[in-house]
Amino acid sequence: MPHEPSSSHHVSVVTADSGARRQLPALDGIRALAIIGVYIFHVWPAVLPGGFKGVDVFFVLSGFLITSIIRKNLADGVFSFREFYLRRVQRLLPNAALTVAATVLFVVVFLPSSIANQAARHGLWSLFNLSNLFAYRYLGDYWGSGAENVPLTHYWSLGVEEQFYILFPLVFFLLWKFLRRWVPLVLIAGAIVSFALCFQMTRVDKITAFYLPQYRFWELLAGAVLACGCNLFERNVGGGHKCLPCNGLRLIGLLSGFLGIILIAISFIYKVPSKTFPREIALLSVLGSVCLIYAVLARGTFFNRLLSLALFTAIGRVSYSLYLWHWPPIVFGGLVCEYYFLNNFDGALARAAGGVISILFAIAAYFLVE
């Protein structure tokens, strides 16, 4: 993730996860916005009916960061497929595996065997980054009851991201080696094709368009295109690879930040008809994310300072852990009420309580595992 600016006027490119947090903490601020949207939607959906589109923000940011890592390492001649995938496994798998194990154990001990069998199979698919395919095959509509009461439904987005991580490095490596000058145009073309497929498939089969990776890759590619456009900020200074945005670019970054915040806010507040998502509705959160990332690349801007506040960066640092852990306790709250108390207790209140408890699990897992 981003690193290496030596003053507040520099913009950096991405090299490693730890570098992002040291040098561009505002990226953690963007993560915070994404997880806040998802969390509120799952706990109190009426409060933020479009909050689930925080996943789209994660997609764009992931595409930006991964592409920046690969691009910088290729430019420096140090890219290694082995190291790239090893870092992804080390970073993502331990907490994800622990969440799956704890979820399946809870279901086996406290809930009926029919739910336990499904949870165990879903957990296995999730460990192999195939949760989106499991949801597509067995759970159906994301907004339907079949997916709503399943404790690992949220792993679908991790499946899409990991499938992108598996395919994209090789594609980008080949483009860099043979078509370096055309990399941005090829990525733009790929994003357009993926979006066109998504648009058409949503009209035909919204479940397919929602879960399958080829219909969601355009969101990650939007971030990849932005990462390849980082050279718009750059010039060589004293033989080093520095990034110096001019005042004009900084003004554009400020305007871009306002536009990004507005688009993301609208997408979170707007109640989306499920039959039209992820069609053009997802463009709001995707374009908003691109604009906001662009804005924070310009050090010293209002949005860089705002999203670098300690509260935002703290939430952003635990966002992955919170995403993993927040949904199972929410589901368990409702299921326990249903099976043990015959809905004599308020199921919504129980789900909210599960959401609060999930924060404790997420923080503990962040410090003990991540």
Side-chain angles (χ1 to χ4, degrees), residues 252-264:
I252 294 173
L254 184 63
L255 296 175
S256 177
F258 280 112
L259 179 60
I261 286 291
I262 291 171
L263 290 177
I264 291 174

Side-chain angles (χ1 to χ4, degrees), residues 13 36 74 104 125 160 163 165 170 189 192 197 245 273 290 301 360:
V13 291
I36 288 171
L74 284 172
V104 172
W125 284 58
V160 171
Q163 289 150 27
Y165 291 168
L170 177 59
I192 292 173
L197 292 172
V290 169
T301 64
L360 303 178

Side-chain angles (χ1 to χ4, degrees), residues 254-278:
L254 184 63
L255 296 175
S256 177
F258 280 112
L259 179 60
I261 286 291
I262 291 171
L263 290 177
I264 291 174
I266 292 173
S267 71
F268 281 10
I269 295 170
Y270 178 61
K271 185 175 182 179
V272 181
S274 63
K275 65 181 180 181
T276 64
F277 190 85

Side-chain angles (χ1 to χ4, degrees), residues 3-240:
H3 93 128
E4 215 178 38
S6 58
S7 81
S8 62
H9 300 294
H10 293 161
V11 177
S12 70
V13 291
V14 177
T15 60
D17 291 355
S18 60
R21 287 168 179 162
R22 288 196 304 269
Q23 302 297 340
L24 276 181
L27 293 178
D28 275 329
I30 296 177
R31 287 189 181 92
L33 296 180
I35 192 60
I36 288 171
V38 172
Y39 181 87
I40 293 177
F41 171 76
H42 282 154
V43 177
W44 303 286
V47 175
L48 209 61
F52 66 91
K53 290 192 286 296
V55 169
D56 301 318
V57 179
F58 280 128
F59 281 166
V60 177
L61 187 58
S62 293
F64 171 78
L65 293 172
I66 290 302
T67 305
S68 298
I69 292 171
I70 299 172
R71 178 176 174 269
K72 180 64 166 61
N73 288 343
L74 284 172
D76 291 344
V78 296
F79 177 74
S80 164
F81 285 102
R82 177 182 177 277
E83 292 300 319
F84 174 85
Y85 288 117
L86 184 60
R87 288 181 68 87
R88 303 277 72 73
V89 170
Q90 291 175 331
R91 167 72 178 91
L92 302 174
L93 182 60
N95 202 352
L98 178 62
T99 308
V100 169
T103 299
V104 172
L105 179 62
F106 183 94
V107 172
V108 169
V109 172
F110 293 104
L111 295 173
S113 59
S114 59
I115 297 179
N117 291 336
Q118 184 193 59
R121 287 190 296 122
H122 195 178
L124 186 61
W125 284 58
S126 298
L127 290 177
F128 287 95
N129 300 314
L130 299 172
S131 180
N132 57 321
L133 303 184
F134 182 92
Y136 170 71
R137 182 171 181 179
Y138 297 109
L139 303 183
D141 192 353
Y142 175 78
W143 287 273
S145 59
E148 182 180 6
N149 295 315
V150 175
L152 293 174
T153 298
H154 64 311
Y155 267 62
W156 77 268
S157 66
L158 302 180
V160 171
E161 283 198 16
E162 293 304 318
Q163 289 150 27
F164 181 82
Y165 291 168
I166 290 171
L167 297 173
F168 183 74
L170 177 59
V171 172
F172 194 89
F173 175 82
L174 294 175
L175 290 174
W176 184 269
K177 187 174 179 64
F178 298 108
L179 296 169
R180 187 175 306 184
R181 292 179 57 188
W182 302 101
V183 168
L185 291 179
V186 173
L187 295 181
I188 291 171
I192 292 173
V193 169
S194 177
F195 175 74
L197 292 172
C198 175
F199 188 92
Q200 179 59 29
M201 182 54 69
T202 304
R203 302 171 62 181
V204 177
D205 184 349
K206 64 177 183 179
I207 297 175
T208 299
F210 189 94
Y211 288 121
L212 296 195
Q214 63 267 37
Y215 305 110
R216 305 305 292 264
F217 276 177
W218 65 274
E219 301 181 40
L220 292 109
L221 287 173
V225 170
L226 178 62
C228 288
C230 281
N231 59 356
L232 296 175
F233 295 99
E234 299 168 2
R235 71 183 183 191
N236 289 328
V237 179

Side-chain angles (χ1 to χ4, degrees), residues 297-366:
L297 291 177
R299 285 300 197 103
T301 64
F302 167 77
F303 290 99
N304 191 284
R305 293 192 297 270
L306 174 65
L307 293 171
S308 297
L309 293 175
L311 176 62
F312 285 120
T313 57
I315 296 173
R317 283 193 294 271
V318 300
S319 61
Y320 176 64
S321 189
L322 184 55
Y323 185 83
L324 291 175
W325 287 93
H326 83 285
W327 181 241
I330 292 173
V331 172
F332 291 151
L335 291 178
V336 167
C337 277
E338 178 181 349
Y339 285 100
Y340 286 94
F341 301 105
L342 300 177
N343 284 326
N344 289 327
F345 291 162
D346 188 340
L349 181 61
R351 291 168 72 92
V356 173
I357 293 172
S358 72
I359 296 176
L360 303 178
F361 286 124
I363 293 174
Y366 171 75

